[in-house]
Amino acid sequence: MKNVFLLVLAIIILNCNLNAQWEQCNMPNSYAFYDLLTVGDKIYAGSYTSALYLSTNAGKDWDNIIDTSGIIGILCIANYEDKIFIGTASGVYYTTNDGVTWINANIGISDYVIFSLFINEKYIFASTQGKGLLRSSDLGQSWEQVNDIKSDSWIYSIVLYDNKILANASYQGFMCSSDNGETWTAIDTTLANFGVYDIVTTKDKIYVGTNKGIFYSTDSGYNWIELNNCLKDIFVRKIIIEGTNFTLATNKGIYFSTDNGISWLEQVLPNVDIRCITKCGSNLYAGTFLKGLMMSSDNGETWTNIYKGLPTQLISCFTDNGSNLFATASNFGVLKSSDNGNV
């Protein structure tokens, strides 16, 4: 009986320790946090409930720095020098003083839904919901529609590679600009009707995760080669590359390759919908749909649900500030680990 009691006590203590490593940040619960951004010692969390939270003390305290009702639904956050930009369901805004004042950068685009921002030098590119690509050459003071990209396109991803800007547009595939978006050239239509979720570049290749598996290019996007094997018709949402080792977050679990993607091994989370993944130290962390927050300390061989009491449907993104790891949780705000998620 004593041994049974000790065993039960040990299990209880272990479970408490697992959950104790992660805590809910001190902010109101929110239906949807879409983006996290770390800038120096500041952490920003954007919510679709039109709140942008800022922490300056490693996530201990958070303040909502949105004080105007004109900003609707924060979908993305970006920074350039002293400016913090937000893409919203009502255009683009920015602040230079952490929300004391907000500047409306919406001339002509207040009815555009902006779901991603890409900044190169003083040029801002705004991906819209079915209204093509917008470009600003003066840090948001004015905007123009990129005429070479169809105005009803969805822009899935933008990346800088080999001093060129590559944008993946629905119906057109990859478009390329070598003059900061002044002109664009269609370079390949292979992925024209694919949803592109992630783009990762190496010294000599570009890899894209799509709703039809993973592809790569060795010629700056002009031609694409499948790396799919068993990955066709799988949504590849996130790609991590370390040398010859690949880790993929997909809607069917996590896949690994140790030979540059020639062959793939599905690990122990089959059919789990993985929405985001990150590596911190020697640990892997996976944010899921309906399955909570998962961690592996043995390169994906085994996984542990490290926040079993989490009443959430979706873990959507991660960020870290060097010593703390943060994750967004629907209906539960932002979670924080002060020891990089260790359990």
Side-chain angles (χ1 to χ4, degrees):
M1 180 65 69
K2 180 179 179 181
N3 290 338
V4 172
F5 171 77
L6 291 175
L7 177 60
V8 173
L9 180 62
I11 292 173
I12 293 174
I13 292 174
L14 175 61
N15 187 61
C16 289
N17 286 337
L18 286 176
N19 290 335
Q21 308 303 320
W22 288 82
E23 59 182 303
Q24 183 184 15
C25 289
N26 183 25
M27 64 173 70
N29 294 358
S30 175
Y31 177 73
F33 277 89
Y34 276 87
D35 204 5
L36 290 169
L37 176 69
T38 300
V39 181
D41 60 354
K42 298 176 181 179
I43 306 159
Y44 300 86
S47 166
Y48 197 72
T49 55
S50 302
L52 180 66
Y53 291 96
L54 167 65
S55 176
T56 58
N57 57 3
K60 180 181 178 182
D61 301 298
W62 297 79
D63 295 310
N64 182 8
I65 60 174
I66 295 290
D67 61 355
T68 172
S69 59
I71 298 177
I72 303 172
I74 297 171
L75 297 170
C76 58
I77 316 168
N79 73 292
Y80 180 79
E81 294 181 345
D82 64 337
K83 296 179 174 65
I84 297 295
F85 292 86
I86 53 174
T88 77
S90 56
V92 178
Y93 300 80
Y94 72 88
T95 179
T96 59
N97 50 22
D98 283 334
V100 175
T101 56
W102 284 93
I103 297 172
N104 186 331
N106 278 338
I107 297 177
I109 63 167
S110 60
D111 60 340
Y112 283 62
V113 176
I114 310 298
F115 63 86
S116 73
L117 293 169
F118 173 82
I119 303 176
N120 185 49
E121 299 173 355
K122 65 177 182 177
Y123 298 90
I124 306 176
F125 300 88
S127 301
T128 72
Q129 186 178 29
K131 291 189 176 182
L133 182 65
L134 303 174
R135 172 182 179 262
S136 173
S137 59
D138 51 16
L139 290 176
Q141 302 305 307
S142 62
W143 295 88
E144 61 183 350
Q145 189 88 36
V146 174
N147 293 324
D148 295 323
I149 294 178
K150 293 181 179 179
S151 60
D152 60 346
S153 291
W154 288 65
I155 309 301
Y156 294 113
S157 301
I158 304 177
V159 68
L160 182 67
Y161 183 75
D162 194 25
N163 295 317
K164 300 180 181 67
I165 298 174
L166 300 180
N168 180 259
S170 60
Y171 316 120
Q172 290 178 279
F174 270 94
M175 307 290 290
C176 176
S177 174
S178 56
D179 53 11
N180 266 317
E182 188 72 30
T183 58
W184 295 80
T185 302
I187 57 177
D188 184 74
T189 59
T190 301
L191 307 180
N193 296 313
F194 290 15
V196 175
Y197 298 105
D198 195 20
I199 303 179
V200 176
T201 63
T202 63
K203 183 179 179 180
D204 56 356
K205 293 183 179 68
I206 306 172
Y207 295 88
V208 295
T210 77
N211 61 344
K212 298 290 184 180
I214 183 172
F215 297 77
Y216 75 94
S217 172
T218 59
D219 55 8
S220 298
Y222 283 85
N223 295 280
W224 294 92
I225 302 168
E226 287 189 66
L227 264 183
N228 283 331
N229 248 342
C230 59
L231 301 179
K232 288 186 177 181
D233 298 323
I234 287 180
F235 287 38
V236 177
R237 293 196 173 97
K238 185 69 177 177
I239 306 168
I240 297 177
I241 300 176
E242 296 177 300
T244 61
N245 298 320
F246 287 51
T247 304
L248 306 182
T250 82
N251 65 325
K252 299 293 185 180
I254 297 177
Y255 289 80
F256 293 90
S257 174
T258 59
D259 55 12
N260 285 311
I262 296 173
S263 60
W264 297 94
L265 172 66
E266 184 180 7
Q267 291 292 342
V268 296
L269 295 177
N271 298 317
V272 176
D273 190 350
I274 310 296
R275 296 303 178 92
C276 56
I277 193 167
T278 191
K279 188 166 187 180
C280 197
S282 60
N283 297 331
L284 278 172
Y285 301 92
T288 74
F289 179 65
L290 296 179
K291 299 294 184 180
L293 184 58
M294 312 289 288
M295 187 199 82
S296 174
S297 57
D298 54 11
N299 294 314
E301 290 291 335
T302 58
W303 292 83
T304 303
N305 189 321
I306 56 176
Y307 208 105
K308 295 180 181 178
L310 182 64
T312 185
Q313 292 186 333
L314 174 64
I315 306 291
S316 57
C317 63
F318 293 105
T319 192
D320 71 85
N321 65 349
S323 58
N324 301 287
L325 185 62
F326 298 88
T328 62
S330 62
N331 299 322
F332 209 60
V334 176
L335 304 176
K336 169 191 171 183
S337 171
S338 58
D339 57 0
N340 284 332
N342 285 306
V343 297

